[in-house]
Amino acid sequence: MAKLDAIKTIVVVMMENRSFDHMLGYLSLPPFNRTDVDGLKNDAAWLAQFTNYDNGQAIKPFLNLDPYDMPDDFDPPHERPNMAANLGALQNNFYPMNGFVSAIPSSVSTLPDVRKLVMSYFGAEQVPMSHFFSQNFAICDRWFSALPAGTQPNRLMSMSGETMIDVNHDILPSQDLVYDWLTAHGVSWRVYHQGIPFFTMMLKWVPEILSSNYFRPFSDLAGDLMNSSPDDLPQVIFVEPTYQDAPHLGFATDEHAPSGVSNGQEFLMQVYNALVNSPFWDNSLMIVDYDENGAFFDHVSPPMIPTAPQAGAVWSNPAPFISLGPRIPAFVISPFVKPGSVYHGILDHTSVLKLIGEKFGNGSYSPLVDARQVQSISDLLNFDKPTANAPAAPALDTYLAKRPPAPIGATVPTPDTNLKKGFQQAVSNLKQSGANINHPKFGELIYEMDNPPA
């Protein structure tokens, strides 16, 4: 695709665990009333159709004014069985989307005011960077998570087009990732990570994460973008936030509950500012998506696009997934999108791989990705009238001033899920491979974990 030659730098940012309606559904409600966005509605028939019930209580979508925290460490489970319960029983190839509250185990919370938070949504004031992106770039209101499953399977789908697992594990099985594909195709790439990189849970990547130039701290991003020559800047850049479920310093910025979304909004502002203030903005494409919906309500039934286990996969349930997962928020930020536009084509995480295959692989990423019945990111790009000047991001000082202070020392989540166990094992992997308190990227975290406050 010759027009893709105009794009020199692709930046990919994957956040955590929020649904489209939860983050962007407000756009179709007053005062915005956008008829081009398939979001929330407030008419009686629509509300009756999507009311969820929990212990006899009817719960409709409602505005959440607190973007800073979730109470009682509230993190609704969202593994494959939980997702199936959230969607409800399939009827004529449609899910009723009616099990988001009732599927929450009592062990997570028995409090009605906490459980109903999965039906909440934010407004523009609660998600200022998301709103800014929606007004100035393109949003996708038919971007679905690749699988109705949890974090690891969806991130593996996003980074390879297939997954060897269907539920979270403590250690990720080894499988080829887009990193391997890019290297094999002679495409330069880099990961800028704010905390522990996600694929520290895949053992073969630990040596690279520790010492190679492929993995650099997030604090280097702005300077590298500003000071690199075109020949030195990677063609594909992955930017990772600080994960809530990982041992970390300071704020978690991935927006994963029980964290609020304010820290993630700041993180997205920082990534955006680094790109638009660099010499590379005019030829760049930034993609922001979320791994899955985190059990938060969305009203759109996922398309019946199946995913079967590939050879060598070890799934807890060997049956294929019969549909995509729930919708997630997604933004395409570039001079090559129409400001304030909405793309309605069906996308999932492999749509990014399709774009990469088109640009760097003579039109093909892999037979599996090529055959997947979703569109490519390239389908929403417009090269005829690129936006000359990037709009300035909103100031978030007043918004961020209302959040709680940053934690002191290391936050080490209780390892009560396989994902949290995997991240803690990732720290052990780093230490076993030579990282200590003097390591330039991980030394401070290791020191704080080994020396908790008395």
Side-chain angles (χ1 to χ4, degrees), residues 345-380:
I346 294 175
L347 302 166
D348 78 355
H349 303 327
T350 65
S351 298
V352 179
L353 300 179
K354 286 186 179 241
L355 170 72
I356 288 173
E358 289 166 353
K359 180 163 177 60
F360 302 115
N362 293 319
S364 173
Y365 183 86
S366 70
L368 197 61
V369 169
D370 299 344
R372 196 163 176 87
Q373 296 175 345
V374 296
Q375 303 302 114
S376 167
I377 300 300
S378 64
D379 292 329
L380 63 95

Side-chain angles (χ1 to χ4, degrees), residues 246-298:
H248 61 272
L249 299 172
F251 293 118
T253 59
D254 60 352
E255 300 189 344
H256 188 307
S259 288
V261 297
S262 60
N263 302 322
Q265 296 291 291
E266 180 184 35
F267 171 74
L268 291 175
M269 177 189 69
Q270 291 168 342
V271 179
Y272 175 77
N273 283 342
L275 183 59
V276 301
N277 292 326
S278 78
F280 301 101
W281 164 252
D282 289 345
N283 299 103
S284 68
L285 172 66
M286 175 176 162
I287 302 164
V288 178
D289 62 357
Y290 288 65
D291 62 342
E292 29 87 3
N293 69 312
F296 287 95
F297 169 77
D298 191 86

Side-chain angles (χ1 to χ4, degrees), residues 376-448:
S376 167
I377 300 300
S378 64
D379 292 329
L380 63 95
L381 302 179
N382 183 349
F383 296 95
D384 295 333
K385 294 181 179 180
T387 303
N389 298 308
L396 301 186
D397 295 3
T398 301
Y399 168 78
L400 295 172
K402 299 176 184 178
R403 65 185 170 182
I408 298 173
T411 298
V412 183
T414 302
D416 53 6
T417 67
N418 280 338
L419 185 60
K420 293 176 184 176
K421 293 175 184 175
F423 272 122
Q424 293 200 17
Q425 182 60 45
V427 177
S428 297
N429 298 340
L430 292 170
K431 294 169 73 172
Q432 291 167 9
S433 297
N436 57 30
I437 61 173
N438 297 313
H439 191 274
K441 292 194 294 186
F442 304 111
E444 184 181 359
L445 175 62
I446 291 171
Y447 176 83
E448 293 290 348

